[in-house]
Amino acid sequence: FRDPRARLHSAYHNGLHAVGMPLQQQREMHLSNPSYKEYAAWPGIAGCQTRMLIGRACNEPYNVTESDVELAISRVRAKFAFVGLTDEWNDSVCLFYAMFGGNMTHHAFKNIRDTAKFHKDYDPEAYKVHFTPEDDPADWRLYEEVKAVFRENQRLFGLPRALQIDGEQ
């Protein structure tokens, strides 16, 4: 799972990504040349991860409800054998191997989609400046729950945390 702020930032820089949004609405959005905040507030942009977990398209023009967030969270807790965090990739790889076994190799830790290699002006940490949890409250709530599941599994499998992220303990 990805920090919703990072997802919004990446989608913004990926041509105002809007899979599932009707083409006319996409055109209107592109023509408006939205700022970061305007993009996040555009109907159908925020709530992507929640929408996908309840069986809808990422940017479908559907207003995510509190019930939808609860359903997405319940699906993560009941139906996912594993959750990882892109911001904690190395810890996620270690947890996966601890949970399911196999021969861990250095290849599993490699970033094969390093945006900075393809877009020289892209700053992967800029999302922390441009977006806040309030820009995508549904996905933020889901992400916080996913992080809790991830931490529970780290404890359950006896894995120390390699990094301290955003002041978490």
Side-chain angles (χ1 to χ4, degrees), residues 14-154:
N14 187 24
L16 302 176
H17 177 81
V19 170
M21 184 182 288
L23 290 177
Q24 181 59 36
Q25 191 176 346
Q26 287 185 44
R27 280 189 211 97
E28 290 171 15
M29 180 176 61
H30 282 269
L31 289 172
S32 75
N33 194 26
S35 67
Y36 289 111
K37 294 291 186 179
E38 290 166 340
Y39 174 71
W42 195 271
I45 296 300
C48 170
Q49 293 177 104
T50 300
R51 265 190 220 89
M52 289 176 28
L53 282 170
I54 64 168
R56 296 185 170 274
C58 174
N59 299 119
E60 182 179 337
Y62 169 82
N63 292 325
V64 174
T65 66
E66 184 62 30
S67 296
D68 295 331
V69 177
E70 290 298 326
L71 177 59
I73 289 170
S74 72
R75 286 182 174 170
V76 166
R77 287 210 168 263
K79 298 186 184 268
F80 278 58
F82 171 80
V83 296
L85 306 174
T86 59
D87 282 348
E88 299 182 44
W89 183 260
N90 290 347
D91 286 352
S92 295
V93 169
C94 290
L95 178 59
F96 181 87
Y97 279 98
M99 291 175 72
F100 301 108
N103 296 319
M104 190 178 344
T105 68
H106 69 280
H107 301 293
F109 297 95
K110 186 174 180 164
N111 181 356
I112 60 170
R113 292 188 55 149
D114 187 358
T115 304
K117 286 183 181 177
F118 302 103
H119 301 284
K120 299 300 179 201
D121 60 343
Y122 182 76
D123 178 0
E125 295 297 310
Y127 71 86
K128 296 173 184 174
V129 173
H130 298 299
F131 296 104
T132 66
E134 291 78 26
D135 291 318
D136 196 344
D139 279 3
W140 187 257
R141 185 152 168 259
L142 171 64
Y143 184 67
E144 288 294 305
E145 192 67 28
V146 167
K147 283 197 303 188
V149 170
F150 184 74
R151 299 284 175 252
E152 290 165 16
N153 285 333
Q154 282 182 306

